Amino acid sequence: MTTTTETPVPVFAEPELTPAGHSLLDAASELFYARGIRAVGVDLVALEAGTTKKTLYDRFGSKDRLVAQYLTRRGARWQHHVLELVAAQPDPRRRLLTVFDALEEWHAGQDRGCAFVNAYAEVGAGDQATRDVVRQEKDWMRRLFVALAAGAGLSSPETSGASVHLLYEGALVLSTAGGRPSAVTEARATAAALLAPSAPTAE
């Protein structure tokens, strides 16, 4: 199987909304991430946004769709962030490690970890729209690591990239829920070992 070295294009995009829609999504995004999805009702979102519950339902239809839009927008911004840093790294062998640098920068000052893992833990199994967004984001990250492993010249980039993706996802959980703030740094060091000169590389 041939593995492309081109980084995957973003699968999410910023939603096109009215000003009231943006206010609602801004409020929901902050509340959902900080307090949890189940703990936040639509009344509170509308209050924080300075709108009404009717406006929320007019713009999004349901709380489930609002949650999906929250994750979609967060995914779009994360993908833009990580791709920008990866593109700025001239050394193909270091681009894979840049993802961990981007993650640390993205989560600086935050203590709630991965919004997608959190959302799935709360509602993902029961809401298809949320589950689909979460799985799209996780699949995109795997494909990103596979492409970067191929670009770095690692042998079996499908396997190597998928393995680094497991490191990445594990570090996301351990750094917060596991109470191990050094997890991302440790995962980065393990990924760096794959890039050591002694590691097999493709011809």
Side-chain angles (χ1 to χ4, degrees):
M1 178 169 55
T2 301
T3 302
T4 179
T5 60
E6 295 183 4
T7 55
V9 298
V11 295
F12 301 125
E14 290 272 350
E16 296 183 5
L17 299 169
T18 64
H22 279 294
S23 294
L24 285 161
L25 188 54
D26 287 343
S29 297
E30 184 174 341
L31 290 166
F32 288 156
Y33 186 75
R35 303 187 189 184
I37 292 168
R38 292 194 182 278
V40 174
V42 293
D43 290 298
L44 179 58
V45 173
L47 178 65
E48 291 294 314
T51 67
T52 65
K53 187 163 66 172
K54 179 181 183 303
T55 301
L56 186 151
Y57 284 120
D58 286 345
R59 299 298 184 276
F60 296 97
S62 67
K63 181 181 176 182
D64 287 343
R65 288 182 60 188
L66 179 61
V67 171
Q69 285 288 342
Y70 147 62
L71 293 172
T72 295
R73 187 176 73 168
R74 189 174 179 93
R77 293 180 176 181
W78 160 248
Q79 289 174 1
H80 174 78
H81 172 72
V82 69
L83 289 178
E84 185 175 51
L85 293 186
V86 166
Q89 172 54 254
D91 184 351
R93 293 180 65 84
R94 296 189 62 81
R95 287 176 188 152
L96 185 147
L97 304 180
T98 299
V99 179
F100 292 93
D101 300 335
L103 179 63
E104 289 191 313
E105 184 178 310
W106 180 260
H107 279 166
Q110 302 182 36
D111 60 2
R112 291 274 295 156
C114 178
F116 297 90
V117 171
N118 296 344
Y120 188 82
E122 288 197 81
V123 302
D127 178 62
Q128 183 175 349
T130 297
R131 183 175 67 247
D132 288 349
V133 173
V134 171
R135 289 182 175 171
Q136 284 179 60
E137 195 276 337
K138 297 308 178 187
D139 178 68
W140 187 86
M141 287 305 304
R142 180 192 60 78
R143 289 187 290 113
L144 174 63
F145 279 117
V146 168
L148 295 176
L154 293 178
S155 61
S156 303
E158 288 281 347
T159 300
S160 298
S163 295
V164 176
H165 180 228
L166 288 175
L167 285 172
Y168 166 90
E169 295 293 343
L172 268 177
V173 174
L174 283 175
S175 63
T176 52
R180 191 167 178 170
S182 63
V184 175
T185 300
E186 294 174 38
R188 187 187 190 281
T190 302
L194 291 174
L195 298 171
S198 58
T201 57
E203 292 297 326

